[in-house]
Amino acid sequence: MDFTAPNGQRIRRSADTDDKVQAQELHDRLKSEAWRQVKLGERPSYTWDDAGLRWLDEKAHKASFADDVQRLNWLQSYFRGVLLTEMKKNIIMEVADLKRRETSPATANRYLALIRSILRQCVEWEWLDAALMLRAYPEAKRRVRWLVPEEAQRLLLELPAHLRDMAEFSLATGLRQANVKELEWSQINLFRGVAWIHPDQAKARKAIGVNLTPSAIAVLRRRLGEHHRYVFTYKDHPVTQVSGKAWWNALKRAGIENFRWHDLRHTWASWHIQAGTPLFKLQEMGGWESMEMVLKYAHLAPEHLAAEALNIETILAGLGTFTSQREKDLEENIS
């Protein structure tokens, strides 16, 4: 189709159909919309596709950008060509329910969160007057999975050398999987005993300073000379997969169930809390954006509330006195 709008703009594009009747219908609609926008000041009609493309263009810096691309690809099969003004709550929730049944409520909520974010952005772009309220599905609260030292030792003994070094380094630093896999020698100063994660490598997009423990330094010294650029490699190539067959077989031989690679980070945090590391310091060490993400470990070290726990003892002592007198009275009555 090829026409000129009343404002002089040339509209030239494919109708994306082999049906001439449909193509003509689309041509006439676009031409009518262009006239109404110029002559009557109406807002242009944007589609979900328009919103998705602009979102990807503006959010390419996000740490979760690859996840957004994957989710948008799945959503396209349902929302391709749909006008934003026709994105109704019941239609969106029907699609989300398909994902919920296919996977889990938690996964479906990630898709809903992306849709909410895009629609809210459309309001900022003045493509929509208001964003829809999309309620998330209830999610079961998961326990924090972590290993006791004896379990960690069994696992390390069962892992192949390259994964053992990576796992031990993760337990010593708490770094996320991607940061360990992509760690370069240029990010390490063994003399000072520090390493750093650049902002563009961190999930929260904030630089993370890492104090290297003796255990972490021991791992790094073993890796010296293995590769000129990357710290952790396998057959002279950066490690791209850690949760493969070797990982799961090692877990099985070590007798450890329901444990993911990311749980090494949970283990590091849990050990720190139990050793007395304050929550606010753990937050900085782990590069968490908010304290809320660290509080899930707080229950592992309730000792910091020991003094407050004793506040009730005065009442309990009085209760004990009352109970003892009551028993004494009952014994006298019986006798």
Side-chain angles (χ1 to χ4, degrees), residues 276-330:
T277 303
L279 287 173
F280 73 94
K281 289 189 177 181
L282 182 65
Q283 179 186 353
E284 185 175 355
M285 291 165 63
W288 281 286
E289 192 170 8
S290 67
M291 178 58 71
E292 183 180 357
M293 303 177 77
V294 187
L295 288 175
K296 60 185 176 183
Y297 303 106
H299 70 284
L300 297 172
E303 291 88 350
H304 68 290
L305 298 175
E308 287 76 10
L310 292 173
N311 289 341
I312 200 173
E313 276 302 302
T314 303
I315 298 174
L316 291 174
L319 184 63
T321 301
F322 171 79
T323 304
S324 299
Q325 185 60 48
R326 179 74 171 173
E327 291 175 348
K328 184 178 180 181
D329 292 344
L330 286 172

Side-chain angles (χ1 to χ4, degrees), residues 163-181:
L163 289 181
R164 184 187 310 131
D165 283 345
M166 295 178 73
E168 188 174 345
F169 189 78
S170 298
L171 288 170
T173 62
L175 287 176
R176 293 182 173 88
Q177 178 186 144
N179 296 140
V180 175
K181 289 193 300 185

Side-chain angles (χ1 to χ4, degrees), residues 242-262:
V242 294
S243 298
K245 188 176 181 180
W247 166 257
W248 297 113
N249 285 342
L251 286 172
K252 186 175 181 179
R253 290 193 299 270
I256 297 172
E257 299 179 350
N258 187 30
F259 192 80
R260 309 162 302 161
W261 185 277
H262 187 72

Side-chain angles (χ1 to χ4, degrees), residues 176-193:
R176 293 182 173 88
Q177 178 186 144
N179 296 140
V180 175
K181 289 193 300 185
E182 299 168 8
L183 188 66
E184 300 183 15
W185 289 111
S186 61
Q187 296 171 249
I188 295 168
N189 187 318
L190 285 174
F191 179 76
R192 292 172 53 203

